[in-house]
Amino acid sequence: MAADYSNSNVNNETVLAFAQQEWERLRKLSSRAVGKAVWLCTWEQLRHAEADLLDLANKQFKAIYSDSFFIIEKEEQIIIAGNGDRAVLFGVYQYAQDVWGLHAVYPLLGDESLNEFSDPEDASTRAYTVNEIHIFSPAMERRGFVFETINDQSYLKAMIHWFGQNKINEMFFTFSLWDQVKEHIAPEIRKRGIQVTLGGHSMKFLQKLNTEEADHPQETANHPYTAKEQFDFENKDWQLPLIHKIIAYCRTVPNLTTISLWPEDIAAKQSSDFVRPYIEFTELLKDELARAGLSLSVEHIAYNAGLAWHMLELSGDNSASIDTLYAYWGRDYRFGYVDSPKVEDKRAEAALKQWAAAVSNKERKLTIFEYYSDHYMLTNLFPNLSRRIIEDVTYYSQYELHGMTNLVVPYRGEDDYSWKRASGLNSYVFAQAFWIRDYEQIMDNYYSYYPKHERASARRLMEAIEEELAAVTSWNVVLFPARATDPLQIRNGKQHKEAVIAMLQQIEEKLEAAVQDSTLVQEHAVARLANYVISYARRIKEQWISL
């Protein structure tokens, strides 16, 4: 008797039901779709019907994660089978891209009716060979985006849909932001099985929760380092009351898997013994969560807030139970850790190796926190970092990480500047680099967004931006807490004046030449971005000259 491949047994399962809906929607969008039956199933479901197929597929995986999946196209049916419900949904999008040519490079930003697009002449699309198993597995388990202050419900919904399409499995919110957007985005998160992490710089918000002083922080602050006082983690008096608020709050959050509460975003005054008391607080938090019946992961952050190395580097003993989020602020993104000439980057690499060894010895998890979509750190002289991101994922993989997260910080200003579009390439490459190891394949997929006659010109111009703008990050530590784009806020700017002006002059000249050589019309999105960068670099250069 033939196996029953109907989905009648999973229609009540939210993620699998949504996967079926997406399959039908995408099939209707495609001019290439055929009428084969499809079975969308988890491996557990497949085990009861086609155990031999599952065993054969599993032998081909080099590593298996919760989002690993495989696709096999038979003569009369297609099987998309995932290690979990979310993996099945990812498989639907994978098939739609590979076979039907339906890509999703950018989220829906308001100027398109759909974010999927297809090129019927695109040679990269293909039919799967009949009875050949196609294996898909990421480089790391945890692949997330971090949102701290973006109270933009339509944008967050668009990103949630885009995360499903690009196989991102986590969204990280501050408690404050989640509190503002939860009613609008929770249903979208549930449908896709995306995991939620809550935390960040949230302890002051939590302290005031359910009090007359309770309020959300200003979402328009133009500087992130606004905390006035660091928490005293050696003082135990405030900790249990705060933790009990956290426990009560967490009971209401769907798909919540992790709590990642951080110290305030300023340097701790004490020069030593900061990390240990802070980790003890997270250990107490984990114990109390477990006592309350909440099975959640808890992590601490190793982060050089205010350039404080003693908040990043491991000193003394560390936890036996708490995971680590490693966040080094101040990288010169022109370089990887291995080839960087910067003393700070080398010191950060040494700290990373210490944490990796400490975590591995105690069977804890290590996640890397990066700033690839951070418009404060990277400024609105925003660099494309496609090569850096892909090389970083390869580099970090040697540490057997649990995963990576990418911070999204919006541009705050009055310019007519589309920060969502500007940061889109970095976000796309970050998502893809866990699944595709080849740089050219990722780039080919990205530039399929543009009509064929525009792709070469768009790529040359985007690569010129990538070549020139990463140098801006080299000034973040030197000028901290200001940046190269903040000449009017820098007290010691004159000693760096000549070098920064030279950098801005080169950005202006190189991109002007690239625009002149381009065949793109001036209204094209890439040309508009390049012209904005030119005008902005010129404006900042003039401010430096006037110092």
Side-chain angles (χ1 to χ4, degrees), residues 166-245:
N166 288 278
K167 301 186 283 291
I168 290 294
N169 63 6
E170 179 194 327
M171 294 185 76
F172 185 133
F173 301 91
T174 60
F175 277 85
S176 173
L177 179 59
W178 174 260
D179 200 61
Q180 296 170 83
V181 302
K182 59 187 178 184
E183 301 298 332
H184 302 276
I185 67 172
E188 303 305 316
I189 287 174
R190 285 194 193 96
K191 284 193 295 189
R192 295 161 178 84
I194 294 173
Q195 297 172 344
V196 172
T197 292
L198 290 184
H201 304 295
S202 293
M203 287 197 289
K204 286 187 176 179
F205 167 78
L206 290 165
Q207 274 191 328
K208 296 179 179 180
L209 191 63
N210 301 328
T211 70
E212 292 182 359
E213 296 180 344
D215 196 4
H216 298 102
Q218 292 295 318
E219 302 300 331
T220 57
N222 58 12
H223 198 294
Y225 309 106
T226 54
K228 302 301 182 184
E229 186 178 0
Q230 187 57 266
F231 274 72
D232 180 4
F233 289 97
E234 293 182 342
N235 181 353
K236 307 297 183 182
D237 295 343
W238 57 268
Q239 296 185 18
L240 272 178
L242 181 72
I243 288 171
H244 291 157
K245 287 186 177 183

Coordinates of all heavy atoms in Angstrom, one line a residue, residues 166-245:
N166 N 14.4 33.5 4.4 CA 15.9 33.4 4.3 C 16.5 32.5 5.5 O 17.7 32.6 5.8 CB 16.5 34.8 4.3 CG 16.3 35.5 3.0 OD1 17.1 35.2 2.0 ND2 15.3 36.3 2.9
K167 N 15.6 31.8 6.2 CA 16.0 30.8 7.1 C 16.7 31.3 8.3 O 17.7 30.7 8.8 CB 16.8 29.7 6.4 CG 16.1 29.0 5.2 CD 16.8 27.9 4.6 CE 17.9 28.3 3.7 NZ 17.4 28.9 2.5
I168 N 16.2 32.4 8.9 CA 16.7 33.0 10.1 C 15.7 32.4 11.2 O 14.5 32.4 11.0 CB 16.6 34.5 10.1 CG1 17.8 35.0 9.2 CG2 16.7 35.1 11.5 CD1 19.2 34.8 9.7
N169 N 16.3 32.0 12.3 CA 15.4 31.3 13.3 C 15.2 32.0 14.6 O 14.6 31.5 15.5 CB 15.9 29.9 13.5 CG 17.3 29.8 14.2 OD1 17.9 30.8 14.5 ND2 17.8 28.6 14.3
E170 N 15.7 33.2 14.8 CA 15.6 33.9 16.1 C 15.4 35.4 15.9 O 16.1 36.0 15.1 CB 16.8 33.7 17.0 CG 16.7 34.4 18.3 CD 18.1 34.4 19.1 OE1 18.8 33.5 18.9 OE2 18.3 35.4 19.8
M171 N 14.6 36.0 16.8 CA 14.5 37.5 16.9 C 14.8 37.8 18.4 O 14.2 37.2 19.3 CB 13.1 38.0 16.5 CG 12.8 37.8 15.0 SD 11.2 38.5 14.5 CE 11.6 40.2 14.5
F172 N 15.6 38.8 18.6 CA 16.1 39.2 19.9 C 15.5 40.6 20.1 O 15.8 41.5 19.3 CB 17.6 39.2 19.9 CG 18.3 39.5 21.2 CD1 19.3 38.7 21.6 CD2 17.9 40.6 22.0 CE1 20.0 38.9 22.8 CE2 18.6 40.8 23.2 CZ 19.6 40.0 23.6
F173 N 14.8 40.8 21.2 CA 14.2 42.1 21.5 C 14.6 42.5 22.9 O 14.8 41.7 23.8 CB 12.7 42.0 21.5 CG 12.0 41.6 20.2 CD1 11.8 40.3 20.0 CD2 11.7 42.6 19.3 CE1 11.2 39.9 18.8 CE2 11.1 42.2 18.1 CZ 10.8 40.9 17.8
T174 N 14.7 43.8 23.1 CA 14.7 44.3 24.5 C 13.3 44.1 25.0 O 12.3 44.0 24.3 CB 15.0 45.8 24.6 OG1 14.1 46.5 23.8 CG2 16.4 46.1 24.0
F175 N 13.2 44.0 26.4 CA 11.9 43.8 27.0 C 11.0 45.0 26.6 O 9.8 44.9 26.4 CB 12.0 43.7 28.5 CG 12.3 42.4 29.0 CD1 13.7 41.9 29.0 CD2 11.3 41.5 29.4 CE1 14.0 40.6 29.5 CE2 11.6 40.2 29.9 CZ 12.9 39.8 29.9
S176 N 11.6 46.2 26.6 CA 10.8 47.4 26.3 C 10.2 47.4 24.9 O 9.0 47.7 24.7 CB 11.7 48.6 26.5 OG 11.0 49.8 26.1
L177 N 11.0 47.0 23.9 CA 10.5 47.0 22.5 C 9.5 45.9 22.4 O 8.4 46.1 21.8 CB 11.7 46.8 21.6 CG 11.3 46.7 20.1 CD1 10.5 48.0 19.6 CD2 12.5 46.4 19.2
W178 N 9.7 44.7 22.9 CA 8.8 43.7 22.9 C 7.4 44.1 23.5 O 6.4 43.8 22.9 CB 9.3 42.4 23.5 CG 8.2 41.3 23.6 CD1 7.4 41.0 24.7 CD2 7.8 40.5 22.5 NE1 6.6 40.0 24.3 CE2 6.8 39.6 23.0 CE3 8.3 40.3 21.2 CZ2 6.2 38.7 22.2 CZ3 7.7 39.3 20.4 CH2 6.6 38.5 20.9
D179 N 7.5 44.8 24.6 CA 6.3 45.3 25.3 C 5.4 46.2 24.4 O 4.2 46.2 24.5 CB 6.7 46.0 26.5 CG 5.5 46.1 27.5 OD1 5.1 45.0 28.0 OD2 5.1 47.2 27.8
Q180 N 6.1 46.9 23.5 CA 5.4 47.8 22.6 C 4.8 47.2 21.3 O 3.8 47.6 20.8 CB 6.3 49.0 22.2 CG 6.8 49.8 23.4 CD 7.9 50.8 22.9 OE1 7.6 51.9 22.4 NE2 9.1 50.4 23.2
V181 N 5.5 46.1 20.8 CA 5.1 45.6 19.5 C 4.5 44.2 19.6 O 4.0 43.6 18.6 CB 6.3 45.5 18.6 CG1 6.9 46.9 18.4 CG2 7.4 44.6 19.1
K182 N 4.5 43.6 20.8 CA 4.1 42.1 20.9 C 2.7 41.8 20.3 O 2.6 40.7 19.7 CB 4.2 41.7 22.4 CG 3.2 42.5 23.3 CD 3.5 42.2 24.8 CE 2.6 43.0 25.7 NZ 2.8 42.8 27.1
E183 N 1.8 42.6 20.5 CA 0.4 42.3 20.1 C 0.3 42.2 18.5 O -0.5 41.5 18.0 CB -0.6 43.3 20.6 CG -0.7 43.4 22.1 CD -1.1 42.1 22.8 OE1 -1.8 41.4 22.1 OE2 -0.7 41.9 23.9
H184 N 1.2 43.0 17.9 CA 1.1 43.1 16.4 C 2.0 42.0 15.7 O 1.6 41.6 14.6 CB 1.6 44.5 16.0 CG 0.8 45.6 16.6 ND1 -0.4 46.0 16.0 CD2 1.0 46.4 17.7 CE1 -0.9 47.0 16.8 NE2 -0.1 47.2 17.8
I185 N 3.1 41.6 16.4 CA 4.0 40.7 15.7 C 4.0 39.3 16.2 O 4.4 38.3 15.5 CB 5.4 41.2 15.7 CG1 6.0 41.2 17.1 CG2 5.5 42.6 15.1 CD1 7.5 41.5 17.1
A186 N 3.4 39.0 17.4 CA 3.4 37.7 18.0 C 2.8 36.6 17.1 O 3.3 35.5 16.9 CB 2.8 37.7 19.4
P187 N 1.6 36.9 16.4 CA 1.0 35.9 15.5 C 1.9 35.6 14.4 O 2.0 34.4 13.9 CB -0.3 36.6 15.1 CG -0.6 37.6 16.1 CD 0.7 38.1 16.6
E188 N 2.7 36.6 13.8 CA 3.6 36.3 12.7 C 4.7 35.4 13.1 O 5.2 34.6 12.4 CB 4.0 37.6 12.1 CG 2.9 38.5 11.6 CD 2.0 37.9 10.6 OE1 2.5 37.2 9.7 OE2 0.8 38.0 10.8
I189 N 5.2 35.6 14.3 CA 6.3 34.8 14.9 C 5.9 33.4 15.1 O 6.6 32.4 14.7 CB 6.8 35.5 16.2 CG1 7.6 36.7 15.9 CG2 7.7 34.5 17.0 CD1 8.1 37.5 17.1
R190 N 4.7 33.2 15.6 CA 4.2 31.9 15.9 C 4.0 31.1 14.6 O 4.4 29.9 14.5 CB 2.8 32.0 16.6 CG 2.8 32.4 18.0 CD 1.4 32.1 18.6 NE 1.2 32.7 19.9 CZ 0.7 33.8 20.1 NH1 0.2 34.6 19.1 NH2 0.5 34.3 21.4
K191 N 3.5 31.7 13.6 CA 3.3 31.0 12.3 C 4.5 30.4 11.7 O 4.5 29.4 11.0 CB 2.6 31.9 11.3 CG 1.1 32.2 11.5 CD 0.5 32.9 10.3 CE 1.0 34.2 10.0 NZ 0.2 34.9 9.0
R192 N 5.6 31.1 12.0 CA 6.9 30.7 11.4 C 7.8 29.9 12.4 O 8.9 29.5 12.0 CB 7.7 31.9 10.8 CG 6.9 32.5 9.7 CD 7.3 34.0 9.4 NE 6.6 34.5 8.3 CZ 5.4 35.1 8.4 NH1 4.8 35.1 9.5 NH2 4.8 35.6 7.3
G193 N 7.4 29.8 13.6 CA 8.2 29.0 14.6 C 9.5 29.7 15.0 O 10.4 29.1 15.4
I194 N 9.5 31.0 14.8 CA 10.8 31.8 15.1 C 10.9 31.9 16.6 O 10.0 32.2 17.3 CB 10.7 33.2 14.4 CG1 10.8 33.0 12.9 CG2 11.9 34.0 14.9 CD1 10.6 34.3 12.2
Q195 N 12.1 31.6 17.1 CA 12.4 31.7 18.5 C 12.5 33.2 18.9 O 13.0 34.0 18.1 CB 13.6 30.9 18.9 CG 13.5 29.4 18.6 CD 14.8 28.7 18.7 OE1 15.9 29.2 18.8 NE2 14.7 27.4 18.9
V196 N 12.2 33.4 20.2 CA 12.3 34.8 20.7 C 13.3 34.8 21.9 O 13.3 33.9 22.8 CB 10.9 35.3 21.2 CG1 11.1 36.6 22.0 CG2 10.0 35.4 20.1
T197 N 14.2 35.8 21.8 CA 15.1 36.1 23.0 C 14.7 37.4 23.5 O 14.5 38.4 22.7 CB 16.6 36.1 22.5 OG1 17.0 34.7 22.2 CG2 17.5 36.5 23.7
L198 N 14.6 37.6 24.8 CA 14.4 38.9 25.4 C 15.5 39.2 26.3 O 16.1 38.4 27.0 CB 13.1 38.8 26.3 CG 11.8 38.7 25.5 CD1 10.6 38.8 26.5 CD2 11.6 39.8 24.5
G199 N 15.9 40.5 26.3 CA 17.0 41.0 27.2 C 17.5 42.3 26.7 O 16.8 43.3 26.7
G200 N 18.8 42.3 26.4 CA 19.5 43.6 26.1 C 19.6 44.5 27.3 O 19.6 44.0 28.5
H201 N 19.7 45.8 27.0 CA 19.8 46.8 28.1 C 18.4 47.1 28.6 O 17.8 48.1 28.3 CB 20.5 48.0 27.6 CG 21.8 47.8 27.0 ND1 22.9 47.3 27.7 CD2 22.3 47.9 25.7 CE1 24.0 47.2 26.9 NE2 23.6 47.5 25.7
S202 N 17.9 46.2 29.4 CA 16.4 46.2 29.8 C 16.2 46.3 31.3 O 15.1 46.4 31.8 CB 15.7 45.0 29.3 OG 15.6 45.0 27.9
M203 N 17.2 46.3 32.1 CA 17.0 46.1 33.6 C 16.4 47.3 34.2 O 15.6 47.2 35.1 CB 18.3 45.7 34.2 CG 18.7 44.3 33.9 SD 19.9 43.6 35.0 CE 21.4 44.5 34.5
K204 N 16.6 48.5 33.7 CA 16.0 49.7 34.2 C 14.5 49.7 33.9 O 13.6 50.1 34.7 CB 16.7 51.0 33.7 CG 18.0 51.2 34.4 CD 18.6 52.5 34.0 CE 19.9 52.8 34.8 NZ 20.5 54.1 34.5
F205 N 14.2 49.2 32.7 CA 12.8 49.1 32.3 C 12.1 48.1 33.2 O 11.0 48.3 33.7 CB 12.7 48.6 30.8 CG 11.3 48.2 30.4 CD1 10.3 49.1 30.2 CD2 11.0 46.8 30.3 CE1 9.0 48.6 29.8 CE2 9.8 46.3 30.0 CZ 8.8 47.3 29.7
L206 N 12.7 47.0 33.5 CA 12.1 46.0 34.3 C 12.0 46.4 35.8 O 11.0 46.1 36.4 CB 13.0 44.7 34.3 CG 12.9 43.9 32.9 CD1 14.1 42.9 32.8 CD2 11.6 43.3 32.7
Q207 N 12.9 47.2 36.2 CA 12.8 47.7 37.6 C 11.6 48.6 37.8 O 10.9 48.5 38.8 CB 14.1 48.6 37.9 CG 15.2 47.8 38.5 CD 16.3 48.6 39.0 OE1 16.5 49.8 38.6 NE2 17.0 48.2 40.0
K208 N 11.2 49.3 36.8 CA 10.1 50.2 36.8 C 8.8 49.6 36.4 O 7.7 50.2 36.5 CB 10.3 51.5 36.0 CG 11.5 52.3 36.5 CD 11.7 53.5 35.7 CE 12.9 54.4 36.2 NZ 13.1 55.6 35.3
L209 N 8.9 48.3 35.9 CA 7.7 47.6 35.4 C 6.7 47.5 36.5 O 7.0 47.2 37.7 CB 8.1 46.3 34.9 CG 7.0 45.5 34.1 CD1 6.7 46.2 32.8 CD2 7.5 44.1 33.8
N210 N 5.4 47.8 36.2 CA 4.3 47.7 37.2 C 4.4 48.7 38.3 O 3.9 48.6 39.4 CB 4.2 46.3 37.8 CG 4.0 45.2 36.7 OD1 3.4 45.5 35.7 ND2 4.6 44.1 37.0
T211 N 5.1 49.8 38.0 CA 5.1 51.0 38.9 C 4.6 52.2 38.2 O 4.4 52.2 37.0 CB 6.6 51.2 39.4 OG1 7.3 51.8 38.4 CG2 7.2 49.9 39.9
E212 N 4.4 53.2 39.0 CA 3.9 54.5 38.4 C 5.0 55.1 37.5 O 4.6 55.9 36.7 CB 3.6 55.5 39.6 CG 2.3 55.0 40.4 CD 2.0 56.0 41.4 OE1 2.7 57.0 41.5 OE2 1.0 55.8 42.1
E213 N 6.2 54.7 37.7 CA 7.3 55.3 36.9 C 7.5 54.5 35.6 O 8.3 54.9 34.8 CB 8.6 55.3 37.6 CG 8.6 56.2 38.9 CD 9.9 56.2 39.6 OE1 10.7 55.3 39.3 OE2 10.1 57.1 40.4
A214 N 6.8 53.4 35.4 CA 7.0 52.6 34.2 C 6.8 53.4 32.9 O 5.8 54.1 32.8 CB 6.0 51.4 34.3
D215 N 7.7 53.2 32.1 CA 7.6 53.9 30.8 C 8.6 53.2 29.8 O 9.5 52.5 30.2 CB 8.0 55.4 30.9 CG 7.5 56.2 29.7 OD1 6.9 55.6 28.8 OD2 7.8 57.4 29.7
H216 N 8.5 53.5 28.6 CA 9.4 53.0 27.6 C 10.5 54.1 27.3 O 10.1 55.3 27.3 CB 8.7 52.6 26.3 CG 7.7 51.5 26.5 ND1 6.3 51.8 26.5 CD2 7.8 50.2 26.6 CE1 5.7 50.6 26.7 NE2 6.6 49.7 26.8
P217 N 11.7 53.7 27.1 CA 12.7 54.7 26.8 C 12.5 55.4 25.5 O 11.8 54.9 24.6 CB 14.0 53.8 26.7 CG 13.6 52.4 26.4 CD 12.2 52.3 27.1
Q218 N 13.1 56.5 25.4 CA 12.9 57.3 24.1 C 13.4 56.5 22.9 O 14.6 56.0 23.0 CB 13.6 58.6 24.2 CG 13.0 59.6 25.2 CD 11.6 60.0 24.8 OE1 11.4 60.2 23.6 NE2 10.7 60.0 25.7
E219 N 12.6 56.4 21.9 CA 13.1 55.6 20.7 C 13.9 56.4 19.7 O 14.4 55.9 18.7 CB 11.8 55.0 20.0 CG 10.9 54.2 20.9 CD 11.7 53.0 21.4 OE1 12.6 52.5 20.8 OE2 11.3 52.5 22.5
T220 N 14.0 57.7 20.0 CA 14.7 58.6 19.0 C 16.0 59.1 19.5 O 16.6 60.0 19.0 CB 13.8 59.8 18.7 OG1 13.4 60.5 19.9 CG2 12.5 59.3 18.0
A221 N 16.5 58.5 20.6 CA 17.8 58.9 21.1 C 18.9 58.8 20.0 O 18.9 57.7 19.3 CB 18.2 58.1 22.3
N222 N 19.7 59.8 19.8 CA 20.6 59.8 18.7 C 22.0 59.3 19.2 O 23.0 59.4 18.4 CB 20.8 61.1 18.0 CG 21.1 62.2 19.0 OD1 21.5 62.0 20.1 ND2 21.0 63.5 18.6
H223 N 22.1 58.9 20.4 CA 23.3 58.3 20.9 C 23.0 57.2 21.8 O 22.2 57.3 22.7 CB 24.1 59.4 21.7 CG 25.5 59.1 21.9 ND1 26.0 58.0 22.7 CD2 26.7 59.6 21.4 CE1 27.3 58.0 22.6 NE2 27.7 58.9 21.9
P224 N 23.6 56.0 21.6 CA 23.3 54.8 22.4 C 23.8 54.8 23.9 O 23.3 54.1 24.7 CB 23.9 53.7 21.6 CG 25.1 54.3 21.0 CD 24.7 55.7 20.6
Y225 N 24.8 55.6 24.1 CA 25.5 55.6 25.4 C 24.9 56.6 26.4 O 25.5 57.6 26.7 CB 27.0 55.8 25.3 CG 27.6 54.8 24.2 CD1 27.9 55.3 23.0 CD2 27.6 53.5 24.5 CE1 28.4 54.4 22.0 CE2 28.1 52.6 23.5 CZ 28.5 53.1 22.3 OH 29.0 52.2 21.3
T226 N 23.6 56.4 26.7 CA 22.9 57.3 27.5 C 22.7 56.9 29.0 O 22.1 57.7 29.7 CB 21.5 57.5 26.9 OG1 20.8 56.3 26.7 CG2 21.6 58.1 25.5
A227 N 23.1 55.7 29.4 CA 22.9 55.3 30.7 C 23.8 56.2 31.6 O 24.9 56.6 31.3 CB 23.3 53.9 30.9
K228 N 23.3 56.5 32.8 CA 24.0 57.4 33.8 C 24.7 56.6 34.8 O 25.7 57.1 35.4 CB 23.0 58.3 34.4 CG 22.2 59.2 33.5 CD 23.1 60.1 32.6 CE 22.3 61.0 31.7 NZ 23.2 61.8 30.8
E229 N 24.3 55.4 35.1 CA 24.8 54.6 36.2 C 24.8 53.1 35.9 O 23.8 52.6 35.3 CB 24.1 54.9 37.4 CG 24.7 54.3 38.7 CD 23.9 54.6 39.9 OE1 22.9 55.4 39.8 OE2 24.3 54.2 41.0
Q230 N 25.9 52.4 36.2 CA 26.0 51.0 36.0 C 25.3 50.3 37.1 O 25.3 50.8 38.3 CB 27.4 50.6 35.8 CG 27.6 49.1 35.4 CD 26.9 48.7 34.1 OE1 25.8 48.2 34.2 NE2 27.6 49.0 33.0
F231 N 24.8 49.1 36.9 CA 24.2 48.3 38.0 C 25.3 47.8 38.9 O 26.4 47.4 38.4 CB 23.4 47.2 37.4 CG 22.0 47.6 37.1 CD1 21.7 48.4 36.1 CD2 20.9 47.1 37.9 CE1 20.4 48.8 35.8 CE2 19.6 47.5 37.7 CZ 19.3 48.3 36.6
D232 N 25.0 47.7 40.2 CA 26.0 47.1 41.1 C 25.6 45.7 41.3 O 24.6 45.4 42.1 CB 25.9 47.9 42.5 CG 26.8 47.3 43.5 OD1 27.6 46.4 43.2 OD2 26.8 47.8 44.6
F233 N 26.3 44.8 40.7 CA 25.9 43.4 40.8 C 26.4 42.7 42.0 O 26.1 41.5 42.3 CB 26.4 42.6 39.5 CG 25.7 43.0 38.3 CD1 26.1 43.9 37.4 CD2 24.5 42.4 38.0 CE1 25.4 44.3 36.3 CE2 23.7 42.7 36.8 CZ 24.2 43.7 36.0
E234 N 27.2 43.4 42.8 CA 27.6 42.9 44.1 C 26.6 43.0 45.1 O 26.5 42.4 46.2 CB 29.0 43.5 44.5 CG 30.1 43.1 43.6 CD 31.4 43.8 44.1 OE1 31.4 44.7 44.9 OE2 32.5 43.3 43.7
N235 N 25.7 44.0 44.9 CA 24.5 44.2 45.8 C 23.4 43.3 45.4 O 22.8 43.3 44.3 CB 24.1 45.7 45.7 CG 22.9 46.0 46.6 OD1 22.4 45.1 47.3 ND2 22.5 47.2 46.6
K236 N 23.1 42.4 46.3 CA 22.1 41.3 46.0 C 20.6 41.8 46.3 O 19.7 41.1 46.0 CB 22.4 40.1 46.9 CG 23.8 39.5 46.7 CD 24.1 39.1 45.3 CE 25.5 38.5 45.2 NZ 25.8 38.1 43.8
D237 N 20.5 42.9 47.0 CA 19.2 43.3 47.5 C 18.1 43.5 46.4 O 16.9 43.1 46.6 CB 19.3 44.6 48.3 CG 20.1 44.4 49.6 OD1 20.3 43.3 50.0 OD2 20.5 45.5 50.1
W238 N 18.5 44.0 45.3 CA 17.6 44.3 44.2 C 17.3 43.2 43.3 O 16.4 43.2 42.4 CB 18.1 45.5 43.4 CG 19.4 45.3 42.8 CD1 20.6 45.7 43.3 CD2 19.7 44.7 41.5 NE1 21.7 45.4 42.5 CE2 21.1 44.8 41.4 CE3 19.0 44.2 40.5 CZ2 21.8 44.3 40.2 CZ3 19.6 43.7 39.4 CH2 21.0 43.7 39.3
Q239 N 18.1 42.1 43.4 CA 18.1 41.1 42.3 C 16.9 40.2 42.3 O 16.3 40.0 41.3 CB 19.4 40.3 42.4 CG 20.7 41.1 42.1 CD 21.9 40.3 42.1 OE1 21.9 39.1 41.9 NE2 23.1 41.0 42.2
L240 N 16.5 39.6 43.5 CA 15.3 38.7 43.5 C 14.1 39.5 43.1 O 13.3 38.9 42.3 CB 15.2 38.1 44.8 CG 16.0 36.7 45.0 CD1 15.8 36.2 46.4 CD2 15.5 35.7 44.0
P241 N 13.8 40.7 43.6 CA 12.6 41.4 43.2 C 12.5 41.6 41.7 O 11.5 41.4 41.0 CB 12.6 42.7 43.9 CG 13.4 42.4 45.2 CD 14.5 41.4 44.7
L242 N 13.7 41.9 41.1 CA 13.7 42.1 39.6 C 13.5 40.8 38.9 O 12.7 40.7 37.9 CB 15.1 42.6 39.2 CG 15.3 42.9 37.7 CD1 14.4 44.1 37.3 CD2 16.7 43.1 37.4
I243 N 14.1 39.7 39.4 CA 13.9 38.4 38.8 C 12.5 37.9 38.8 O 12.0 37.3 37.9 CB 14.9 37.4 39.4 CG1 16.3 37.7 39.0 CG2 14.5 35.9 39.1 CD1 17.4 36.9 39.7
H244 N 11.8 38.2 39.9 CA 10.4 37.8 40.0 C 9.5 38.5 39.0 O 8.6 38.0 38.5 CB 9.9 38.0 41.5 CG 10.5 37.1 42.4 ND1 10.6 37.4 43.8 CD2 11.1 35.9 42.3 CE1 11.2 36.4 44.4 NE2 11.5 35.4 43.5
K245 N 9.9 39.8 38.7 CA 9.2 40.5 37.6 C 9.4 39.8 36.3 O 8.5 39.7 35.5 CB 9.6 42.0 37.6 CG 9.1 42.8 38.7 CD 9.5 44.3 38.5 CE 9.0 45.2 39.6 NZ 9.3 46.6 39.3

